[in-house]
Amino acid sequence: MNKIIIGNWKMNPASQKEALELFDAIKAGVKDAKAEVVICPPFIYVSSLKFPAPRGARLAQFHGRQYSRLKLGAQNVFWENKGAFTGEISPAMLKSSNVKYVIVGHSERRKYFGETNEDVAKKLQAVLEVGMTPILCVGENEGENREEVLREQLAGVSGFRLQASGLIVAYEPVWAIGTGKNCRPEDVKKAMETIKNLVGDVRVLYGGSVKADNAQEYLEVVDGLLVGGASLNAEEFIKIVEKGS
Ligand code: PGA
């Protein structure tokens, strides 16, 4: 199966103009990629990013639709589809905005916004119900036992029909995110085995300070990468995508 490379822009870049420029540069650079490429911009930019039409397609027919290897993702979602939930964005809204993938339970959501494993399970279910693919983020903090944390974080989701849904799990040790510290590929491999033992044969990604010069060693053990900081630099991100192709 082809590798999947996901760019998580987090709360960047600072303006629509920069977001469009970054997106256009990435779009041009990955147009022949064999890997599946997913861009997860902040919600406010979701509708302005125009995906290229599949080759040979009539433009009018495909305007705004996605090129088959380049897809749109979101960084978060709420679990209800409508109602009085000020400031939230629903799975139905994302789906109708052409979003195919949704990151759920990123460690920054858990840490800064108090998301619990129960919240994460509700979001996961809501995303699956509307037919999008969740990217569930799991991983231990510095000093924590990896196995125990994975077991705890995945306990609430083992009841879902995960394989059939195409769930993706991203192993992201919190201590490796944005720090320049890398998890050893052999440890990533162990984490992947633990995840598959717990939830079945899902696709597993690695995330945490991935760059063009370390992408290859991770791609040898996992199905793809979740890239934060390096996805804000088109040239660097394109190089990472090339490693997955
Ligand atoms: P990083 O972020 O690549 O900047 O470490 C990864 C992530 O948070 O998904």
Side-chain angles (χ1 to χ4, degrees), residues 8 10 106 108 172 176-178 208-210 226-229:
N8 173 13
K10 307 193 180 184
H106 190 281
E108 287 151 15
E172 298 206 298
I177 295 178
S209 300
V210 172
L226 180 50
V227 185

Side-chain angles (χ1 to χ4, degrees), residues 69-204:
R69 311 302 306 157
L70 179 61
K71 294 192 175 143
L72 184 56
Q75 300 172 16
N76 182 31
V77 68
F78 190 54
W79 55 75
E80 295 288 345
N81 271 319
K82 60 179 169 38
F85 302 103
T86 302
E88 293 296 331
I89 303 281
S90 76
M93 291 171 188
L94 293 180
K95 174 134 186 178
S96 76
S97 304
N98 214 15
V99 168
K100 306 287 187 227
Y101 292 87
V102 185
I103 296 174
V104 174
H106 190 281
S107 63
E108 287 151 15
R109 302 279 333 154
R110 296 177 192 259
K111 179 174 168 196
Y112 300 122
F113 305 98
E115 278 189 19
T116 62
N117 288 331
E118 290 71 38
D119 297 337
V120 170
K122 283 195 259 182
K123 291 181 176 202
L124 194 67
Q125 185 148 26
V127 168
L128 290 172
E129 269 165 17
V130 299
M132 295 184 294
T133 302
I135 301 154
L136 171 62
C137 297
V138 293
E140 77 285 0
N141 284 296
E142 185 112 66
E144 285 182 331
N145 179 292
R146 183 179 55 231
E147 291 257 338
E148 264 171 39
V149 171
L150 294 182
R151 207 167 284 282
E152 230 168 78
Q153 290 180 332
L154 292 168
V157 306
S158 53
F160 300 156
R161 291 178 55 242
L162 298 174
Q163 270 161 273
S165 68
L167 171 85
I168 295 174
V169 178
Y171 172 60
E172 298 206 298
V174 181
W175 51 268
I177 295 178
T179 58
K181 291 187 200 167
N182 292 110
C183 188
R184 296 182 314 168
E186 55 266 42
D187 291 331
V188 173
K189 192 159 182 235
K190 280 188 204 146
M192 180 171 84
E193 284 158 8
T194 304
I195 290 165
K196 292 195 184 208
N197 278 337
L198 291 167
V199 293
D201 195 20
V202 295
R203 280 196 281 176
V204 177

